[in-house]
Amino acid sequence: LKVVLMWSPPAMFTAVGRFRDAGPRKQQLRSVQGTGPVPAQCPPAPSSLGRRGLAICSLLGGFTQRAAPSRAKQMRSTKEVERLKLEDGSEVVKLASGVQYVDLRTGGGEVPQMGDMVLAHVKGYLMEKDDPVFINTYDDGAPLIFYLGTMPQGVTPGLEEALATMKLGSIRAVQVPSYMGYPNGLARAGVKFPLRLPIPLKEGLRYEVELLRCVQAPVENGADQAQRLCCSDAQYPCKVPSKMRLDVISDGT
């Protein structure tokens, strides 16, 4: 199975918080070679999904983790204060919190509800010269798996606000002001997977985030009814080879 993940770099932000065209810089398409998805509990250990572009997630019976009502209300009630039309027809949306985003692709899925489990690929940049990357789940080979509204490692309050209105399958470029990211910075001693770099004090952040879409994993391949097969919008509905057994794959090999 050869899976090609296609995505584009976000438009760049100017110092005054508006998008400008990224110019000639392009992101090379990534090809992910493999024989199929890898089963994992949710949320999984960092290495439990393998380098596939497809993922199997087992929903644990009776295990639920909901966002606190106050947190969920805050995320959903953030109001748009401005929309700026770009030359390519896309729109920059600015929220009252100072978070800004533009949709690079609108997915075919629904907007997840607070407390729903989501799988998200995230690539994050520090707003410095050369755009240092502090998180990249594409290169890690495994998306973040978490319950919307519960901020796992690598997800900031500003990114959560942008996720709260995304349709499954969408790709969104997000700019987060420092006070909605890591306002106190992050020392090297506090850097834990999937983060890669310490974060300076009062540092603005930029993200590319993709929400994956999930379907019932095929029973004919050995999956049980609690398993979901997840992939990008371009790959949906997440096909796997008919001979692949999903009940015998236990690691990334």
Side-chain angles (χ1 to χ4, degrees):
L1 177 66
K2 181 178 181 181
V3 180
V4 178
L5 301 177
M6 295 190 293
W7 58 283
S8 301
M12 303 292 287
F13 292 89
T14 67
V16 294
R18 306 231 182 234
F19 280 86
R20 61 180 173 84
D21 186 72
R25 191 175 73 166
K26 296 181 179 180
Q27 173 63 45
Q28 195 172 21
L29 298 182
R30 299 180 61 248
S31 295
V32 180
Q33 300 283 350
T35 56
V38 179
Q41 299 295 335
C42 302
S47 62
S48 60
L49 277 176
R51 300 175 296 277
R52 309 268 188 218
L54 293 170
I56 284 267
C57 196
S58 299
L59 305 179
L60 303 180
F63 180 80
T64 59
Q65 182 179 354
R66 293 282 171 178
S70 60
R71 178 68 188 148
K73 183 178 180 181
Q74 178 185 352
M75 290 171 61
R76 289 296 195 199
S77 63
T78 298
K79 294 182 179 180
E80 295 181 11
V81 295
E82 185 180 4
R83 281 182 175 260
L84 175 67
K85 199 86 169 182
L86 300 181
E87 293 181 359
D88 63 1
S90 59
E91 288 186 319
V92 179
V93 178
K94 184 177 181 180
L95 305 179
S97 64
V99 172
Q100 298 180 72
Y101 64 81
V102 61
D103 286 319
L104 304 178
R105 183 179 73 202
T106 300
E110 297 181 351
V111 176
Q113 299 299 307
M114 287 301 127
D116 285 354
M117 186 187 69
V118 293
L119 284 80
H121 270 304
V122 178
K123 187 173 184 179
Y125 306 83
L126 302 180
M127 292 182 66
E128 297 179 353
K129 183 180 179 181
D130 299 327
D131 298 322
V133 175
F134 69 92
I135 181 172
N136 189 346
T137 62
Y138 290 101
D139 283 354
D140 292 339
L144 299 181
I145 303 179
F146 60 100
Y147 297 90
L148 189 61
T150 60
M151 282 198 304
Q153 188 76 237
V155 176
T156 59
L159 181 58
E160 267 199 331
E161 282 197 0
L163 289 172
T165 57
M166 280 184 70
K167 289 184 176 182
L168 296 176
S170 296
I171 300 178
R172 182 171 282 184
V174 183
Q175 178 173 287
V176 174
S178 61
Y179 54 85
M180 294 293 287
Y182 297 90
N184 298 319
L186 184 66
R188 185 170 297 277
V191 176
K192 298 179 181 178
F193 186 88
L195 298 179
R196 302 176 173 209
L197 298 173
I199 297 175
L201 184 70
K202 298 182 179 180
E203 181 76 16
L205 307 173
R206 289 190 297 104
Y207 292 95
E208 301 156 23
V209 58
E210 176 181 15
L211 286 183
L212 301 185
R213 298 180 69 181
C214 299
V215 296
Q216 167 66 51
V219 176
E220 58 268 27
N221 291 70
D224 61 46
Q225 293 186 352
Q227 288 182 310
R228 299 291 182 268
L229 187 62
C230 305
C231 62
S232 69
D233 196 64
Q235 296 169 265
Y236 193 80
C238 313
K239 297 293 186 181
V240 295
S242 59
K243 295 181 180 180
M244 179 182 294
R245 296 297 300 176
L246 301 179
D247 54 351
V248 298
I249 301 175
S250 59
D251 56 34
T253 59

